[in-house]
Amino acid sequence: MSSHREAPEISKDPVADSTDTYAFVSPDRPGFVTLITNYIPLQNPAGGPNFFEFGDDVSYKINVDNNGDGLADVVYEFRFTTTVANPNTFLYNTGPIASINDANFNRRQRYTVTRKDAHGTKTLAKFVPCPPCNIGPRSTPNYPKLAKAANAQAKDGRRVFAGQRLDGFYVDLGSVFDLLDLRPFQNLHLLPSAAAAGVDGLRAYNVHTIAIQVPISDLTVDGSTPTDPMSATSVIGVWASASRQKALVRNPGGADTASGPWVQVSRLGNPLVNEALIPMAKKDYWNSLDPAADSEFTQYVDSPELAGLIPALYPGVFPNLAAYNKPRADLDAILLTGIPAGIIPGFQNFTGTTKADELRLNVAIPPSSNPNNLGILGGDLAGFPNGRRVADDVFTIELRAIAGATIPLVDPTFTPDGAVAVVTDGVNPPDNVSYLGSFPYLDHPKGGFEVVPPS
Amino acid sequence: MPELSRRVFLTSGAGVAAAGVAVAAMPSIAAAAISPDAKADPVATIEELSAAGPLVVHIRDAKAGVVSVMSGEQEVVFTDPNFISRVVAAANGRAR
């Protein structure tokens, strides 16, 4: 998955497990950037009676590096507080929740958002309500109304939202984890079967979303709103992180004592980096670090295990990839430094030589009026790996990149194998996942009543 | 964070100590515990005692003599073989 359950330890702590991070210039509000990060993967919408919620004991952060050193220069922190109106019932809701302040909404969360930079810490919004989980037509009869009430204004035109959403990431989980099977091409697999259509393994699963929309000037190194895509000040690097306090003492009755400084347990910049490139023994260690430390993982980007597996699992289909033995400077640029000027006409998102896994967004590239889900691979400079929009097909983009599609950007002597231009898991929106046209862009969550488990 | 008295931890019962090495295996620490040259202990004020929330004391490596005290969002690390010696003795059922 993008980063769902991507490391052994964090997979046991879903409340702090970041699944996806997005950063894009807002298509309906081009002077603002939208930053999104999701937690609590693979939520079965019917998962009650204690439905999904953020952790009061977790510090959730969206980090922005605007000077290329791999360290956060701007941090948006979200802290949650849970309250129970009636502790003498087991019910999440004691009747229909008609409004976000409805007395029937028994267990609710509110949050505070702060912005921290070199000048200090500022509270942007306090006690913002989260919507309830989408339970069903009797409990949450008008879910869009509840979600709208939780779509809040913050200081200086910013918007914030935190709550349950439909997972916007899509991929054929069942096939790719089965020895990198790709159903449309499984007739070519080492262990072949008849080709078939892709199946979205995340279809109808929910996540918990933290989203903030801020002026571009909130993020840039000089506080400007850049218009020149070739200027270094136009590029920011984004990643999400979650931290827990260092010590936890479990007390009888559940009132645990957490003490000490915050320790990072989850990190997510580019999709699939920790998931598919970092070896298992180092995944949780990688999660604990700042991007500035990523030079120690360069070997796993420059010589990815997957690039060796793909030709082995699809014999004879990727001979040029199999024969390529140079360090993958293309992946190094896409994932660790940004793409320098002079490689793609009119584009760069280079942040310098510090190797750091960050979602790099050139904020001077305007939103596309005709988005291509393959992003830059599809000729759309406003899409991944220029930041990441909610509908970008990051699995296919990275699969093709690892399979050799982007090597010619840095090594013109290489010719990608013919299959590279078409290889995919066969899962695409809008058949499998839907989105909203405005903030927070990820669609309303599926309800527990309406979702039928797969047979 | 104010400097903390080791005596506070031993008497308040608020601390949690993790130590896995017996005193008998640590002659240097045992010797330090009875050294007449040990400096006078810093003592918490009444106000500090009243304001103190839950504290977690962590001794990851008793041999190294390093104590970590976590309170609120802070962590203070200091070296105190005498304190560790008494904690380890207590962990072995010989609390004062």
Side-chain angles (χ1 to χ4, degrees), chain A residues 313-373:
Chain A
L313 290 170
Y314 292 87
V317 181
F318 298 95
N320 295 349
L321 176 65
Y324 195 74
N325 55 14
K326 299 177 188 174
R328 292 295 300 270
D330 57 324
L331 300 178
D332 197 280
I334 291 169
L335 300 172
L336 296 182
T337 65
I339 300 170
I343 292 178
I344 298 171
F347 178 76
Q348 60 89 23
N349 63 357
F350 186 64
T351 54
T353 56
T354 299
K355 294 181 187 297
D357 175 45
E358 298 175 352
L359 200 51
R360 289 175 173 81
L361 174 65
N362 187 319
V363 297
I365 301 285
S368 173
S369 57
N370 185 26
N372 186 316
N373 290 348

Side-chain angles (χ1 to χ4, degrees), chain A residues 245-247 257 259-262, chain B residues 16 54 56 70 72-75:
Chain A
Q245 285 188 276
K246 191 169 182 177
T257 301
S259 297
W262 295 91
Chain B
V16 175
V56 175
M70 284 165 276
E73 297 186 0
Q74 306 299 318
E75 179 179 26

Side-chain angles (χ1 to χ4, degrees), chain A residues 200-223:
Chain A
D200 182 8
L202 292 167
R203 186 174 190 172
Y205 284 103
N206 297 325
V207 289
H208 262 53
T209 292
I210 291 170
I212 185 166
Q213 191 173 70
V214 301
I216 288 174
S217 58
D218 225 21
L219 305 170
T220 50
V221 67
D222 56 0

Side-chain angles (χ1 to χ4, degrees), chain A residues 160-294:
Chain A
V160 291
F161 175 89
Q164 195 179 42
R165 296 279 91 187
L166 177 65
D167 195 341
F169 181 55
Y170 49 93
V171 65
D172 191 338
L173 291 178
S175 67
V176 298
F177 289 146
D178 188 17
L179 291 179
L180 197 61
D181 179 45
L182 302 164
R183 292 183 215 256
F185 303 94
Q186 61 190 3
N187 54 309
L188 303 174
H189 195 276
L190 182 65
L191 304 169
S193 55
V199 176
D200 182 8
L202 292 167
R203 186 174 190 172
Y205 284 103
N206 297 325
V207 289
H208 262 53
T209 292
I210 291 170
I212 185 166
Q213 191 173 70
V214 301
I216 288 174
S217 58
D218 225 21
L219 305 170
T220 50
V221 67
D222 56 0
S224 68
T225 302
T227 56
D228 176 12
M230 307 316 289
S231 167
T233 61
S234 298
V235 182
I236 60 171
V238 177
W239 71 99
S241 61
S243 301
R244 289 188 175 279
Q245 285 188 276
K246 191 169 182 177
L248 176 69
V249 177
R250 298 196 186 281
N251 298 313
D256 297 340
T257 301
S259 297
W262 295 91
V263 177
Q264 185 174 300
V265 295
S266 176
R267 168 163 72 111
L268 180 52
N270 282 299
L272 297 160
V273 167
N274 196 15
E275 170 113 7
L277 299 181
I278 306 301
M280 189 177 292
K282 295 188 176 180
K283 286 177 183 291
D284 284 293
Y285 171 60
W286 185 95
N287 269 337
S288 73
L289 301 173
D290 282 321
D294 283 343

Side-chain angles (χ1 to χ4, degrees), chain B residues 14-94:
Chain B
V16 175
V21 183
V23 169
M26 299 180 297
S28 60
I29 289 180
I34 57 172
S35 167
D37 298 328
K39 288 192 294 185
D41 294 338
V43 177
T45 64
I46 296 294
E47 290 76 19
E48 288 171 338
L49 286 172
S50 300
L55 301 172
V56 175
V57 179
H58 183 219
I59 301 170
R60 184 174 182 179
D61 182 353
K63 273 186 178 171
V66 177
V67 182
S68 166
V69 180
M70 284 165 276
S71 172
E73 297 186 0
Q74 306 299 318
E75 179 179 26
V76 175
V77 178
F78 59 96
T79 302
D80 191 335
N82 293 350
F83 171 72
I84 292 176
S85 176
R86 295 169 67 181
V87 170
V88 171
N92 285 284
R94 300 198 307 280

